[in-house]
Structures are given as structure tokens and as C-alpha cells.
Amino acid sequence: MPNLFDPLTLRGVTFRNRIGVAPMCQYSAEDGFANDWHLVHLGSRAVGGAGLVIAEATAVEARGRISPEDLGIWQDAHIEPLARITRFIREEGAVSGIQLAHAGRKASTFRPWSGRGAVDESQGGWPVVGASPNAFSDDYPMPQELTVAEIQIIVEAFVAAAKRADAAGFDVIEIHAAHGYLIHSFYSPLSNQRTDEYGGDFEGRIRLLLDITERIRAIWDKPLFVRISATDWVEGGWTIDDSVELAKRLKTLGVDLVDCSSGGVVAGVTYAAGAGYQVPLSDVVRNQAGIPTAAVGMITQAMQADEIIRNGRADMVLMAREFLRQPYWPLYAAAELHQTDRREIPPQYVRSF
């Protein structure tokens, strides 16, 4: 089996190791535009040795932002600021990815340090849309149910965003279909009460994700990932068995990797979160659906991450908070795992390692 520092090649794109920077919202954009903060935040992790650096949830339309300060890719003017970032990431030996997203009923909310719940329109908020007219919680906005025609407009927005991602130089697209945002709110029975072709049974509820995936794959010839919530952690909700079946469908549509997260579709859910608590989800999807996966969630230690890869529980590990604490985590992990020959230390830093 490969180890954490073995390269991985998908559709002709080679990742120098199996370590990825997970998408992390920075809530630091204005009108969706990337700026110096995003360049330094993402670029420093490429300098630090990650194989893949994924930009945060990037809205395919303005009303798809989680907060007014989210990144966007709904207009051509967004391309060049993002291209500046992809050029730097590539120069530092990493692969650049972007997570294309629509927040749905969880949109128009305050960034974490500015408040909680819905942002009023007088403060820059906007009306939100969703699979069905039910709010995430009492302090979140009530969504308007999307019509079938409006759903098609959003599908087209994802396709247009994928084209802009290509123009900006990204080598990986990840479709954000997790954490209770728009696509997840369609496939989870807890949030989708529709009775048309985008609701009802399993086939109807997964239709939006399959439509978006198929349309993006038709115009995108590089690696395509999908992040899912592999379980809702709630009785009567989406299950790991559902995820296996969904992953099989995604594989037939040309998805290269399923990024296995969980939860987020209903408020107040409790579950046993701990070190590597979502790794079993990745393990099941990978080995029952026969598709590469990424493991996420409280992965912090080099031996822990290496074990996941060596034992075939995932093909990549994506880390978020640990990369905030230590942008150069891969360089230290390589030393701990006796893989120093695999490190790519920038010459400016080589005397320090």
C-alpha cells in the first residue's frame, strides 16, 4: 500500500503527496473577490509542502454565499485575483483546487466573529433559496423553495463557475455537496420535502448533484472531487449506505474522488466526535463503492495520517485546523515518518529544516 508521502496521480495531475489543505472559509472577501489574505493563507500552505491546496467554498452565484464576506466565482472579474493565487501555488509545487459551492438555506448569515444567524437585508443580507421552505434553525433565514426552472439556472451557474475555475488555472474542482448547504439539502430526506423530480425517493433527491456533476464533467477534463456528508448522524436521515450508493453513481459520471465529511443538515445534532472520527466513513465509501476517497476531521498527527493511507482507508487526507496551527505541517511530518527525501523545502527555508 502507498504511504502518506507517495505521489498520487488522477487524470494526469500528480499530487506530490497525499496531504491536502481542506477548504476553509476565511470570510475575508469583498463582493466575492480574492485578495492578499487569500494569497497568503493558501500560498503559505503550498510553501509548507502540501500536495493539494483547496480554496474555500466559493459561491457560484452571489446569493449562494454563506456570508457577505465569502469568496465568489459568479462573474468573470473574479478570475484574475484567483489566477494570481493558482500561479503561486503551482510555483511552489502544489496542486491548486477550488470548492464550488452554493449555501442554499444556510446563506446570508454572519461570519463567525461578527454575529450569529441571519444577516438582515439592511446589513447586506439577501433572500435565500432551498430545496423546501424550511429554515435550518430559528435564527436562520426562511428559504424560498426553488422551482424546477430555477434549479436549472443554478446548475448552469455551477457550469459557468467551472469554466471560470479553468480560466483561473485551478487543476482540481471539488463540488461542495455537504454540511447542509444547497446540494446536501436536496439529497437529505430531513430537509427535502419536494414531490417533484428533485424530491421524494433516493433517485429524486440525488438528481441535483448528479445533474451538476454530469454537466461539469462534460466541460472539465481534470480531477473532479465531490465533498459529501456521508451521514446526517440522525435517525431517518442520510446514511452511510446511501453514501455508498451515491458514490457508485458519481463514479460512473467520472468523479475521481469522494471527500467524506458528515453532518450539518439539521441543528443541534450530537455525535461522538474525536480523533479521526470521520475516517470510518471514508473507509466504507472507498472500499464498498470502489472509488478513491479523502478522509477529513480531527486528523492532526503524522502517524495517524500515514496509517489512514497505508491501511487503505483513504487515498488522501485533508486537514483544516491543523494547517491553521502549522502551515508547514508536511515538512515536520516527513521528518517524523522518516520520509525526508520526499520533502520539497523552498530554498529560502532549507537552512531551517
Side-chain angles (χ1 to χ4, degrees), residues 5 9 20 40 64 78 81 107 117-118 136 166 179 200 206 214 222 235 267 340:
F5 282 90
T9 300
V40 174
H78 288 141
F136 173 67
D166 189 34
H179 302 163
I206 67 172
E214 186 172 19
K222 292 178 281 190
E235 186 176 353
T340 52

Side-chain angles (χ1 to χ4, degrees), residues 136 190 232-234 263-271:
F136 173 67
L190 300 176
D232 286 337
W233 300 113
V234 178
V265 79
V266 291
V269 177
T270 58
Y271 47 88

Side-chain angles (χ1 to χ4, degrees), residues 4 6 8 10 15-21 50-54 95 172 225 257-260 279 282 286 292-296 299 305 308-309 313-319:
L4 187 64
D6 278 340
L8 172 68
L10 298 171
F15 307 85
R16 60 187 170 186
N17 54 49
R18 308 300 181 98
I19 304 165
V21 179
L52 169 64
V53 179
I54 308 178
V95 172
V172 171
F225 296 3
L257 180 144
V258 176
D259 177 2
C260 297
V279 174
S282 167
R286 181 184 190 273
T293 60
V296 304
I299 299 169
I308 293 167
I309 302 300
R313 306 174 76 191
D315 299 272
M316 297 190 79
V317 293
L318 300 182
M319 301 187 300

Side-chain angles (χ1 to χ4, degrees), residues 12-213:
V13 174
T14 298
F15 307 85
R16 60 187 170 186
N17 54 49
R18 308 300 181 98
I19 304 165
V21 179
M24 292 178 276
C25 288
Q26 298 298 292
Y27 307 105
S28 299
E30 184 175 345
D31 196 26
F33 284 91
N35 55 43
D36 288 350
W37 178 266
H38 303 94
L39 173 66
V40 174
H41 165 68
L42 297 168
S44 62
R45 276 78 197 172
V47 170
L52 169 64
V53 179
I54 308 178
E56 66 190 74
T58 306
V60 301
E61 58 176 18
R63 66 178 177 175
R65 291 170 292 169
I66 301 167
S67 81
E69 295 81 20
D70 281 16
L71 273 186
I73 194 167
W74 66 81
Q75 57 177 310
D76 289 349
H78 288 141
I79 294 171
E80 181 49 38
L82 292 168
R84 178 182 176 222
I85 296 170
T86 64
R87 287 192 294 267
F88 183 84
I89 290 173
R90 185 176 298 108
E91 288 169 0
E92 296 306 317
V95 172
S96 60
I98 185 169
Q99 188 182 66
L100 300 184
H102 194 298
R105 67 178 185 158
K106 295 177 81 172
S108 190
T109 56
F110 285 101
R111 59 184 176 182
W113 61 87
S114 296
R116 177 175 173 79
V119 176
D120 189 79
E121 290 186 46
S122 66
Q123 298 174 283
W126 56 89
V128 305
V129 296
S132 299
N134 49 62
F136 173 67
S137 65
D138 291 343
D139 57 349
Y140 272 65
M142 178 62 68
Q144 177 184 343
E145 181 174 295
L146 288 161
T147 67
V148 171
E150 290 168 336
I151 289 170
Q152 299 312 311
I153 292 172
I154 290 177
V155 173
E156 294 297 335
F158 270 92
V159 175
K163 293 177 180 178
R164 293 187 187 106
D166 189 34
F170 287 100
D171 287 318
V172 171
I173 283 176
E174 177 170 270
I175 300 170
H176 196 355
H179 302 163
Y181 298 122
L182 184 68
I183 299 174
H184 182 194
S185 76
F186 268 81
Y187 68 73
S188 173
L190 300 176
S191 49
N192 186 340
Q193 279 81 54
R194 303 175 72 96
T195 57
D196 62 11
E197 61 263 47
Y198 286 95
D201 62 9
F202 178 84
E203 299 294 336
R205 288 183 282 107
I206 67 172
R207 190 180 308 278
L208 175 60
L209 175 53
L210 299 189
D211 285 354
I212 290 170
T213 300

